[in-house]
Amino acid sequence: MSIPPSRTVSEPWRKISWGDNARDLQYVKEYKPGNDDIKHVRILLYGPDGAGKSSFISSVSSVIQGRVTTPALTSDKRSSGTYETFKIRKEEGNPETFCDFVFNDVMDLKDGDGICADDIKLTLKGHVKEGYQFKPSSPLSPEDPGYNPCPSADDKVHVLVCVLSANSAEITDSVLKKMAVIREAASELGIPQMAIGTYIDLACPETENDLKNVYKSQHLKQKVKDFSAAVGVPENYIFPVKNYSDETDINDDVDTLILSALRQMINLGDDFIYKM
């Protein structure tokens, strides 16, 4: 039996400190990798079409800089599938100071077209050069100029994040199979994995009215369970978030959810690089 999206309970099913963002914001800004040989934690985002990967990167930038920033990716870059590293500036007006974590966003996983799972596996290992354009019909090979034969520890992915929309239809079997191949490859490499659920405001009217209802929503709780069953990520490693979209000003509750997810990404990545 499906749960109505508007159903909420009085006690949250996960605890979170609302409005106390200063500590987490300071942590992510001042974070330094635990391995002296690595300059930054590399976070790779992947997921189905329209899940909100690039919007999440832009939202993180907005939270860090304290203002709503421009999108991380243009539509042209997204459609061309260019492999690009996105750095997050620590503060407005200082273009040379960046946080010690970076994001990479790859082409959407789709039925038929879209990035092939083998290319993401090579990305995990650091074999994809900056600026390489993914070709769905032609996976990257060692003979390709975009192939990096000797990746450094910085080139490799340190945490893999699945991005899913809480407001979309069920993921198709073909996309789930691609995601399973990617997860298996990351597991073989020991790369930690987590997930974020986007568009929670559109998925749940009560959460749209008040974002603090996110962990009181039984509909979103069921979504987390469904995500976990579909993609194999434990429920406590799945974080609901709302990306900045039509807002013109920063919102503390939006920031709280984004910082909660971001801090987990950094912690997982840091645990991994500490062992490298």
Side-chain angles (χ1 to χ4, degrees):
M1 180 178 177
S2 62
I3 300 172
S6 60
R7 182 180 171 187
T8 59
V9 294
S10 58
E11 289 299 318
W13 44 272
R14 184 181 294 175
K15 299 291 185 181
I16 190 169
S17 297
W18 294 102
D20 185 21
N21 296 332
R23 184 184 63 174
D24 283 344
L25 184 59
Q26 180 181 11
Y27 175 82
V28 300
K29 279 188 171 183
E30 297 181 357
Y31 164 77
K32 298 290 183 185
N35 185 329
D36 292 338
D37 295 328
I38 294 177
K39 297 177 182 178
H40 47 241
V41 166
R42 186 176 298 276
I43 303 166
L44 179 65
L45 307 181
Y46 78 107
D49 184 25
K53 299 187 301 298
S54 59
S55 294
F56 179 74
I57 298 173
S58 296
S59 296
V60 168
S61 176
S62 297
V63 174
I64 299 296
Q65 295 192 50
R67 64 176 180 87
V68 177
T69 60
T70 55
L73 288 172
T74 66
S75 58
D76 288 341
K77 285 187 176 180
R78 290 195 65 192
S79 61
S80 67
T82 302
Y83 185 65
E84 187 174 1
T85 298
F86 295 94
K87 300 178 180 180
I88 306 297
R89 276 169 42 186
K90 284 187 178 182
E91 56 190 36
E92 188 177 3
N94 190 347
E96 301 303 323
T97 305
F98 297 96
C99 296
D100 288 327
F101 59 87
V102 297
F103 289 101
N104 288 97
D105 177 14
V106 295
M107 288 178 69
D108 296 327
L109 297 175
K110 301 178 182 179
D111 290 318
D113 289 336
I115 189 171
C116 64
D118 286 343
D119 275 351
I120 294 188
K121 290 165 68 174
L122 290 175
T123 303
L124 294 173
K125 298 177 182 179
H127 286 299
V128 180
K129 288 184 179 180
E130 185 83 3
Y132 173 73
Q133 284 195 336
F134 293 104
K135 307 175 185 66
S137 60
S138 177
L140 180 64
S141 67
E143 294 75 28
D144 196 295
Y147 185 88
N148 178 11
C150 301
S152 68
D154 267 328
D155 294 328
K156 299 176 182 179
V157 170
H158 307 126
V159 58
L160 178 67
V161 180
C162 179
V163 183
L164 301 164
S165 170
N167 193 47
S168 65
E170 291 186 3
I171 307 169
T172 63
D173 288 342
S174 64
V175 171
L176 283 174
K177 288 179 181 178
K178 292 180 180 181
M179 295 171 73
V181 171
I182 295 164
R183 290 199 314 275
E184 183 178 348
S187 296
E188 290 175 356
L189 295 169
I191 298 172
Q193 304 175 48
M194 60 174 283
I196 57 174
T198 59
Y199 299 108
I200 57 174
D201 54 323
L202 300 181
C204 174
E206 293 298 323
T207 300
E208 184 177 26
N209 292 336
D210 185 353
L211 207 55
K212 290 187 175 71
N213 285 327
V214 56
Y215 288 125
K216 294 181 180 180
S217 168
Q218 292 300 289
H219 178 69
L220 292 178
K221 181 179 181 180
Q222 186 60 48
K223 278 289 185 180
V224 168
K225 290 180 177 294
D226 293 343
F227 283 164
S228 179
V231 303
V233 176
E235 291 178 29
N236 60 328
Y237 283 83
I238 300 175
F239 289 74
V241 300
K242 181 198 178 310
N243 291 331
Y244 281 104
S245 54
D246 56 356
E247 296 85 357
T248 57
D249 295 310
I250 290 293
N251 178 284
D252 284 344
D253 294 340
V254 174
D255 286 5
T256 295
L257 294 176
I258 291 173
L259 284 169
S260 176
L262 178 60
R263 181 159 186 161
Q264 179 73 346
M265 294 175 196
I266 292 172
N267 287 342
L268 289 174
D270 192 69
D271 288 343
F272 177 67
I273 64 175
Y274 184 76
K275 301 173 184 177
M276 292 179 74

